[in-house]
């Protein structure tokens, strides 16, 4: 259902709110969505981690999704971040994502309360009941602490394959691509959640990446994914080498600080607001971002 370069979109906030963070800048977001589509992004994720969804009240969160859908106008699918550690809230978020017009929802397993594998499986089984739109599972144990083990993911998907259409895997465990592929087949959509591992992930059977770097370098990321899909691994490696310092620079400080700084370097008009507890990146981080942008030929 999804493939290629899929940016986990940042959300532009004006800088009028001081450290706490300003208001959503809808006009700049619409411009940003338009640019992403024109540069070859194949889908868009609105209100994921990179979009600072954790700092948004529900009404604002799904307003941002609605604006993304409206601007995309069906040219590329929109995936809405909608996860929660409360199963009831996650069900409500699925409905809100569908009402906002999203094509699918991106759902993390419950975080903080650290359920067992059985609890994870039952959480997703409950979401699958009367699910109003497809779900892309999002496994990111570095943030959630909860890890969807391969056996659990396979169980969840096999129980409702029409609902669970793919996974964004940010576990860093590349062998899982083969575990999932062996049990669920080549048609199960596996997307890397780590830009720096996307080349290896695709070589093992992945079909794309939900990307932080694509916010800043959408054309290069789209070209990289196209080369992988065409089996042109020499070209893919060339682009990977060009982008790799940028992949690393995006996490030299708390995300999305570095990516918002990078956008301010290539788009001077892009708002510089972040919301606490996120902060503007350190001087050392900014220097590494600048060097990576230069290496990629973006400045």
């Amino acid at each position: 259902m999804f493939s290629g370069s899929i940016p986990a979109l940042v959300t532009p906030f004006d800088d009028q709110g001081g450290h706490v963070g300003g208001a959503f800048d809808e006009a700049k977001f619409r411009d940003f969505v338009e640019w992403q589509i024109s540069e070859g992004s194949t889908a868009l994720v609105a209100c994921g981690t990179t979009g600072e969804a954790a700092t948004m009240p529900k009404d604002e969160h799904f307003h941002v999704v609605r604006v993304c859908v409206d601007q995309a106008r069906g040219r590329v699918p929109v995936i809405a971040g909608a996860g929660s550690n409360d199963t009831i809230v996650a069900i409500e978020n699925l409905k809100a994502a569908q009402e906002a017009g999203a094509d699918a929802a991106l759902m993390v397993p419950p975080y903080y309360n650290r359920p067992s594998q059985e609890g994870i499986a039952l959480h997703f089984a409950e979401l699958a009941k009367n699910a109003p739109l497809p779900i892309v599972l999002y496994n990111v144990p570095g943030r959630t602490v909860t890890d969807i083990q391969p056996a659990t993911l396979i169980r969840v998907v096999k129980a409702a394959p029409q609902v669970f259409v793919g996974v964004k895997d940010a576990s860093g465990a590349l062998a899982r691509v083969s575990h999932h592929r062996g049990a669920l087949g080549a048609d199960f959509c596996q997307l890397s959640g780590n830009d720096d591992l996307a080349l290896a992930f695709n070589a093992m059977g992945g079909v794309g990446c939900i990307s932080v770097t694509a916010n800043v370098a959408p054309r290069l990321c789209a070209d990289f994914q196209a080369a992988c899909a065409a089996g042109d691994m020499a070209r893919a490696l060339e682009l990977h080498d060009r982008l790799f310092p940028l992949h690393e620079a995006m996490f030299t400080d708390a995300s999305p600080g570095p990516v918002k700084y990078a956008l301010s370097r290539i788009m001077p008009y892009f708002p510089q607001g972040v919301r606490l507890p996120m902060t503007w990146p350190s001087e050392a981080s900014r220097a590494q971002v600048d060097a990576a942008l230069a290496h990629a030929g973006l400045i």
Side-chain angles (χ1 to χ4, degrees):
M1 186 172 181
F2 302 104
S3 63
S5 179
I6 305 171
L9 298 174
V10 301
T11 306
F13 301 122
D14 67 43
D15 57 5
Q16 302 307 304
H19 290 300
V20 176
F24 170 53
D25 192 327
E26 181 175 327
K28 293 295 191 300
F29 187 61
R30 287 183 179 276
D31 290 344
F32 188 55
V33 167
E34 198 63 32
W35 181 62
Q36 286 288 336
I37 294 171
S38 70
E39 291 289 290
S41 298
T42 53
L44 304 170
V45 171
C47 295
T49 306
T50 311
E52 296 175 79
T55 67
M56 295 183 197
K58 182 175 179 178
D59 288 350
E60 182 184 44
H61 179 133
F62 291 103
H63 172 65
V64 173
V65 174
R66 192 173 294 107
V67 170
C68 187
V69 170
D70 182 67
Q71 190 63 38
R73 300 193 303 278
R75 291 172 290 172
V76 298
V78 173
I79 306 168
S84 174
N85 65 335
D86 180 337
T87 304
I88 293 172
V89 172
I91 291 168
E92 294 172 349
N93 287 348
L94 276 175
K95 294 175 183 175
Q98 188 269 337
E99 290 168 0
D103 297 283
L106 186 66
M107 306 295 284
V108 293
Y111 43 85
Y112 184 76
N113 36 11
R114 300 177 67 181
S116 66
Q117 293 298 303
E118 181 69 11
I120 294 169
L122 293 177
H123 171 81
F124 284 121
E126 200 64 32
L127 298 189
K129 295 177 182 177
N130 304 310
L133 74 178
I135 294 172
V136 177
L137 298 164
Y138 179 16
N139 195 29
V140 57
R143 289 189 180 274
T144 65
V145 183
T146 310
D147 184 8
I148 312 174
Q149 292 289 323
T152 303
L153 184 141
I154 291 162
R155 170 186 170 185
V156 165
V157 174
K158 283 188 171 181
Q162 74 285 359
V163 174
F164 299 106
V165 298
V167 62
K168 174 187 177 182
D169 193 329
S171 69
L174 286 169
R176 293 186 180 188
V177 182
S178 294
H179 283 298
H180 299 155
R181 183 180 174 87
L184 299 173
D187 291 337
F188 180 67
C189 175
Q190 296 198 66
L191 303 167
S192 176
N194 300 94
D195 280 295
D196 58 346
L197 297 179
L199 179 63
F201 193 96
N202 284 350
M204 294 181 72
V207 295
C209 181
I210 295 182
S211 167
V212 174
T213 303
N215 279 281
V216 183
R219 175 54 63 188
L220 289 176
C221 289
D223 288 350
F224 163 77
Q225 290 293 339
C228 288
D232 187 350
M233 299 312 287
R235 175 61 174 158
L237 180 58
E238 176 188 344
L239 288 164
H240 169 80
D241 288 344
R242 185 173 169 183
L243 287 164
F244 187 75
L246 195 56
H247 297 332
E248 292 198 312
M250 292 299 93
F251 294 94
T252 49
D253 210 330
S255 182
V259 66
K260 282 195 165 181
Y261 170 70
L263 283 166
S264 77
R265 294 285 285 120
I266 66 171
M267 296 178 174
Y269 64 83
F270 199 86
Q272 297 186 16
V274 292
R275 288 181 174 173
L276 276 176
M278 298 298 102
T279 60
W280 202 239
S282 67
E283 182 178 352
S285 174
R286 297 196 305 269
Q288 191 164 335
V289 170
D290 285 340
L293 289 171
H295 180 86
L298 296 173
I299 59 173

